[in-house]
Amino acid sequence: MFENLALSENGFLFDSRTGSTYSLNQTGTFLLRKLIDGELPERLLKLLGSDFEVAEEVAERDIEQFLFRLKDLKITNEQENGE
Amino acid sequence: MKPITVAVTGLNASDNPAPGVPVIRAIRQGADRECRIVGLAYDALDPGNYMDGIADDVFLMPYPSEGASVLYERIAYVHAKTPIDVLIPCLDAELPAYLKISDKLRALGIATFIPGEDQLNLRSKARFYDLKEKLHISVPKSIAIADTSSIHKLDEQFDFPVMVKGQFYDAYIAYSPMEVEGHFQRIRAKWGAPVIVQEYIPGEEYDVVAVGDGKGGLVGAVPMRKMQLTDKGKAWGGITIRDQKLHDFIVDAMSKLKWRGPCELEVIKSSDSEDLYMLEINPRFPAWVYLSVGAGRNLPWATVRLALGEKIETMPPPEPGVMFLRHSFDQICKLADYEALAIGGEHRRDKEM
């Protein structure tokens, strides 16, 4: 599903299908890495909470916004509809 | 292996460079045999004439507007001085003349690998919509208009905005028939009629350099996305991509066109539907063709081999993520070399040895 995405440890993301590149912050890199590794979006809240000190409601909102942003940029949406 | 001599045109290397210099760089890098390069230039001030390691010999050529017979005479002269095995034309405007003399060149022993007349005509902007109607290649709806009388009816045929394009160059977006008329007048004054009105497709544009075998097969293709542009919209940096849908689209188009030789394809992916549309087919290598070498798909050298009648295996799609950034530099030139070209029309490096 994410085979077109190359994400470095530093948060540099390359979408080989579109040629677009992005810079992700530490939590964005963490979340997308988990998705690329096969974690379900529903598990992200728990995973983020175990690695970062963050209030649950803040984390929930941030994850929701992050997933929306990925979809808006067609980073995830395109993957789902692409092939 | 027998040494060969390859002639390449288009040695201009300005901010809107011709493809000749990168084509030569690619050939030099790919050649598996001794290879002499003859540069065929239109201007003594073309920087490619003077670059070290590019052309061994340089000859000034008549402009395409002087006709095919004048072109043939000049090539026959060059061939007598330094026998040519393969000739690669790199400029759009040359192709019709080279096509006309390709049989005579073959008789001289000079091979080319260029598209046929039907293919050249089909890809012309004035007839571009025929690609959809005759070959079922997806292209934006377009019409060619020769005068202003049909402009007021455009809103019956198109949703606005539309693109207004010159038959050779220039493209503007127009939001109303009135704006179309303004662009029409400007483009007609510069490039002549007809002017093309084309459906506007919002989306992401991709460029592809490809070589077809002339029988419907794709020899190889390197797709890229432009990363930075000049003020003329030309690529000043780009990156290879991998998109199976785009690759299939190119394979299908080359198969239907039975394209022979190199081309640059401009394709847009609709942001609404993600459908692909062919925007332009340029019948020569693009100036960014050296990216194909960086991506491990040396298409200029493949073209030389195809012209020589050698068999080339189909190249798989390249790795994505190979980038190029263009730069310019100040080429120091010897006055004597400039004099040789400006006065004698030729500069042969072997005379220096």
Side-chain angles (χ1 to χ4, degrees), chain B residues 112-348:
Chain B
T112 57
F113 201 71
I114 57 178
E117 192 174 359
D118 288 348
Q119 297 158 326
L120 269 188
N121 288 336
L122 262 178
R123 50 71 51 189
S124 74
K125 287 184 191 168
R127 289 189 55 194
F128 205 63
Y129 198 58
D130 285 357
L131 290 177
K132 183 174 179 89
E133 297 192 325
K134 292 188 175 169
L135 297 180
H136 307 292
I137 295 171
S138 176
V139 301
K141 180 182 176 185
S142 62
I143 58 168
I145 54 175
D147 56 59
T148 55
S149 63
S150 53
I151 290 177
H152 69 281
K153 290 182 186 163
L154 284 175
D155 51 2
E156 294 169 14
Q157 298 166 277
F158 291 91
D159 291 327
F160 277 79
V162 294
M163 295 302 296
V164 187
K165 293 181 164 185
Q167 51 183 327
F168 301 113
Y169 205 67
D170 273 353
Y172 301 96
I173 189 164
Y175 290 88
S176 67
M178 197 188 297
E179 280 190 16
V180 172
E181 185 163 355
H183 295 315
F184 173 87
Q185 301 289 10
R186 189 178 310 129
I187 290 171
R188 186 174 62 174
K190 204 167 171 185
W191 302 106
V195 170
I196 293 88
V197 176
Q198 192 174 72
E199 176 186 6
Y200 173 71
I201 310 274
E204 197 68 57
E205 196 176 316
Y206 299 99
D207 275 15
V208 183
V209 56
V211 173
D213 66 6
K215 298 168 190 163
L218 175 70
V219 176
V222 176
M224 74 100 173
R225 180 187 177 188
K226 294 174 186 176
M227 295 181 83
Q228 53 182 1
L229 304 174
T230 67
D231 57 359
K232 290 174 181 156
K234 304 292 178 185
W236 200 256
I239 190 164
T240 58
I241 61 161
R242 177 174 287 178
D243 182 332
Q244 191 60 44
K245 194 172 168 184
L246 175 61
H247 183 74
D248 294 344
F249 182 77
I250 298 303
V251 169
D252 179 63
M254 298 296 270
S255 161
K256 288 170 175 168
L257 283 162
K258 294 190 168 44
W259 193 267
R260 184 174 189 267
C263 61
E264 178 192 25
L265 309 167
E266 295 180 18
V267 180
I268 195 159
K269 181 188 272 186
S270 163
S271 53
D272 299 333
S273 63
E274 298 202 353
D275 289 340
L276 295 166
Y277 295 86
M278 189 78 78
L279 291 181
E280 276 188 27
I281 302 173
N282 298 312
R284 39 80 191 149
F285 286 117
W288 54 270
V289 65
Y290 193 73
L291 180 63
S292 77
V293 181
R297 307 289 180 266
N298 192 328
L299 296 175
W301 176 242
T303 302
V304 170
R305 292 187 57 201
L306 287 163
L308 290 169
E310 296 177 14
K311 188 168 166 49
I312 303 276
E313 296 295 325
T314 302
M315 301 177 185
E319 284 300 309
V322 181
M323 271 174 66
F324 83 93
L325 295 174
R326 188 168 289 166
H327 70 102
S328 60
F329 69 97
D330 301 328
Q331 175 69 42
I332 303 301
C333 313
K334 291 180 191 165
L335 186 61
D337 295 348
Y338 177 53
E339 178 191 338
L341 278 171
I343 301 298
E346 57 192 84
H347 169 47
R348 301 190 62 196

Side-chain angles (χ1 to χ4, degrees), chain B residues 12-90:
Chain B
N12 177 25
S14 66
D15 61 340
N16 184 17
V21 169
V23 165
I24 293 170
R25 287 180 72 204
I27 293 169
R28 290 232 183 263
Q29 197 157 328
D32 56 4
R33 63 206 81 172
E34 195 180 320
C35 186
R36 187 169 184 81
I37 301 287
V38 175
L40 304 177
Y42 288 103
D43 196 314
L45 288 176
D46 285 349
N49 302 342
Y50 306 95
M51 291 178 183
D52 291 332
I54 298 297
D56 295 298
D57 302 325
V58 179
F59 292 84
L60 286 190
M61 301 299 288
Y63 282 106
S65 56
E66 293 184 45
S69 59
V70 176
L71 176 67
Y72 174 75
E73 282 170 25
R74 183 61 176 164
I75 292 174
Y77 170 85
V78 174
H79 188 60
K81 293 261 182 174
T82 175
I84 299 165
D85 297 293
V86 175
L87 193 153
I88 301 186
C90 287

Side-chain angles (χ1 to χ4, degrees), chain A residues 36-67:
Chain A
I36 289 172
D37 290 346
E39 291 289 356
L40 294 169
E42 302 81 66
R43 291 247 311 142
L44 292 179
L45 182 60
K46 190 176 178 191
L47 293 167
L48 192 69
S50 65
D51 274 53
F52 293 87
E53 279 188 29
V54 57
E56 188 174 328
E57 61 272 25
V58 174
E60 194 169 12
R61 188 193 62 208
D62 285 356
I63 290 169
E64 188 184 340
Q65 286 183 352
F66 181 68
L67 294 176

